[in-house]
Amino acid sequence: MTQTDALIQQGQATLRNNDRGGYTVPTAGLYPFQWNWDAGITALGWATFDEPRAWQELELLFKGQWDNGMVPHIVFHAPSDDYFPGPKEWGVTHEPPTSAISQPPLLATMARLLYEQAQDKQAARTRAAALLPRLAAYHRYFYRDRDPQQTGLVATYHPWESGMDNSPAWDTALSRVPPAQRSYRRRDLQHVDSDQRPLKSEYDRFIYLVDLFKQLQFDSDAIYQKSPYKVQDVSLNSVLLRANNDLLALCKELDYQDDLADLQRAGERAKSAISELWSDAHNCFLSRDLVSNELIPIRTTGGLMPLYAGATTQEQASRIAGKLSAWLDEAPFGLASTHPSESVFDAKRYWRGPTWLHINWMIANGLQLYGLNDIATRIKQASRDIIEQRGYWEYYNPCDGQGCGGPDFSWTAAIALYWLL
Ligand code: DGY
């Protein structure tokens, strides 16, 4: 058997072992439920060998969608004591129970990719069409509830919404959040070494925000007014813009008969607002702290995500590409999530340094949109080298390739199947 065949077999087995009957847990133990952006990426992996199962991944996630259109970041399909905070902590009345925040909304992009690459076009047409109104409602939720002043950029209220939970980009914004005053027991440290996970001081604040949203009865206006943490995350906004463009394209392809002019306008506003987040000094885009109204001056892979949205100029894309070689030279095992020469870089600690394969894919994909194929190929090759050497971990130390976080990880296996194999 070739190494590629072995990796394909192992990737498929990873998804099958993490399958809980129509939805996929990210990894056994550490994350025992269905996560939003994990589900989207994981669907791409399923699509390489089981198309009906790929659609089902998205369909089951949408069982958690709220009446206001929000698709929560966790859907608690079945109980488990392995994770904190569970459904009781969030306090949401929904069946199935869910968390009360969202995550980078990449689902429409995944639906478009599934549709375009489907072997069974007829089935794909039916299943994609059924998702369109739900996807449109999800985007409308973001553009309406998370950008009440119509700035073009939606706000995140919790670092978990960025998907890049403990990125140093959130440090200052999070430091204004008071620590939770109640005691609680983390479960993540039962599964993973503490030097690969967020700090207690961060968890105390993560939990304060969970409690606050419950106290405010999940009311969007009240949260917008009162949340001490409010960030326009350039990465989430880029993911949303790309997904919105993909949704509009898919609606056209499938003759969807709804008036989408509002989403069209929201996308145009977003593109122009993202362009204002460019920093000449950093050679990347920056998120905005909405409480201080300042840009956050730290280079992270989040600041490269406008490439994936097609929201940079050709000149900005070339400038980013010109700096990426140095970024990779310093930490060659994939793109470090925080630039290795930032003082806060931490090679093993979750989003403070490690490389994540789905982010490598998004950035390589974005670079290709601008014809920057050499650097895209270098990122792809680095990603392939890691899985050959280490298998499918949640994330990897970008300096030596060591696998970190949870093992046998669904989205890593999925993006490998889809992109690398
Ligand atoms: C976690 O628990 O680490 C997740 O990233 C939050 O959703």
Side-chain angles (χ1 to χ4, degrees), residues 30-31 35 73-74 83-85 103 160 163 165 188 197-198 203 350-351 394:
L30 180 63
Y31 301 125
W35 262 258
H73 96 300
I74 308 176
Y83 183 80
F84 174 88
Q103 233 174 7
W160 284 343
D165 306 8
D188 55 321
R197 291 289 302 174
Y203 255 82
Y350 212 36
W351 287 94
E394 183 178 7

Side-chain angles (χ1 to χ4, degrees), residues 53 56 77 87 102 105 130 139 159 171 177 239 244 251 292 294-295 335 343 364 371 394:
R53 181 61 187 76
Q56 193 183 24
H77 291 287
S102 198
H139 291 198
D171 286 356
V177 176
V239 166
N244 201 51
C251 286
S292 65
E294 283 168 359
L295 294 181
L335 263 182
S343 61
E394 183 178 7

